[in-house]
Amino acid sequence: MKNKRPRTNQFKQAVENTPEVKNAHQEGLQAFKKDDRNKIELNNPKLCEGSVDIDTTVTTLYPQSNRWDYCLSYDGEVFFVEVHSANTSEVSTVIRKLQWLTDWLNNQAPRINALQAKRRHPFYWIQSNGFHILKTSSQFRQAIQHKIKPVAKLKL
């Protein structure tokens, strides 16, 4: 029987090679605050290659910015998660957070960006206290047009 080589954790390597978050990789969903972690359901937790609390890690570098919350790697793909109140008045804030994230990924974290989910949707807005945006509203359409998927719970 051949020895299986341990699978390389590309996500962990990408994080460690991104100076602004190099020490932020956590096993599984440990980077998520407990209440936020409970909003994520993994079909197979063994496929989770770790997570990063982007917001907390870069707060001092971007104190005035609308920063995105988290990223996690699952089954070889990186997903970006924003846990935020889901009211029509917050759509523009979450869109600004996504713009910040996109700029940050392109300029500061290209190795993490290269692992961005392609088989599934990469950007999720998990509602923190119920969903108060009508699916027929212009605000909901705005979120979707910006490739932000609002969900009650992230299921991977």
Side-chain angles (χ1 to χ4, degrees):
M1 191 162 131
K2 290 183 179 179
N3 288 338
K4 280 190 172 182
R5 288 177 81 186
R7 197 166 136 197
T8 305
N9 187 333
Q10 290 184 311
F11 175 65
K12 185 176 182 181
Q13 288 180 343
V15 171
E16 290 172 347
N17 285 290
T18 301
E20 292 184 355
V21 295
K22 69 179 180 184
N23 298 315
H25 179 270
Q26 299 286 319
E27 294 299 318
L29 298 175
Q30 294 304 307
F32 285 76
K33 292 173 183 72
K34 187 178 179 189
D35 286 346
D36 296 347
R37 195 178 315 136
N38 292 334
K39 293 173 174 46
I40 298 174
E41 186 179 303
L42 301 177
N43 188 38
N44 183 349
K46 291 179 182 176
L47 294 177
C48 184
E49 294 119 352
S51 55
V52 172
D53 181 344
I54 300 169
D55 182 34
T56 301
T57 306
V58 303
T59 296
T60 56
L61 298 171
Y62 306 96
Q64 303 301 316
S65 298
N66 286 298
R67 299 169 306 277
W68 197 263
D69 287 337
Y70 307 102
C71 65
L72 71 108
S73 181
Y74 182 79
D75 197 15
E77 294 187 297
V78 176
F79 299 89
F80 301 91
V81 177
E82 175 66 25
V83 180
H84 198 90
S85 55
N87 300 308
T88 53
S89 61
E90 294 300 312
V91 173
S92 59
T93 300
V94 174
I95 290 170
R96 282 194 303 276
K97 286 174 172 263
L98 177 64
Q99 185 58 59
W100 177 88
L101 176 66
T102 303
D103 292 344
W104 183 77
L105 288 169
N106 287 328
N107 298 311
Q108 304 300 326
R111 292 191 60 182
I112 296 171
N113 195 28
L115 299 173
Q116 185 179 126
K118 306 231 182 332
R119 293 175 291 182
R120 291 187 248 190
H121 198 85
F123 305 109
Y124 289 91
W125 173 4
I126 300 176
Q127 41 204 257
S128 56
N129 293 313
F131 193 71
H132 307 287
I133 305 171
L134 292 174
K135 291 191 177 190
T136 56
S137 71
S138 63
Q139 291 90 347
F140 186 83
R141 282 192 303 277
Q142 267 188 305
I144 298 301
Q145 286 168 347
H146 282 86
K147 302 193 180 354
I148 299 167
K149 187 168 185 181
V151 294
K153 188 170 200 164
L154 176 57
K155 297 178 183 182
L156 295 174

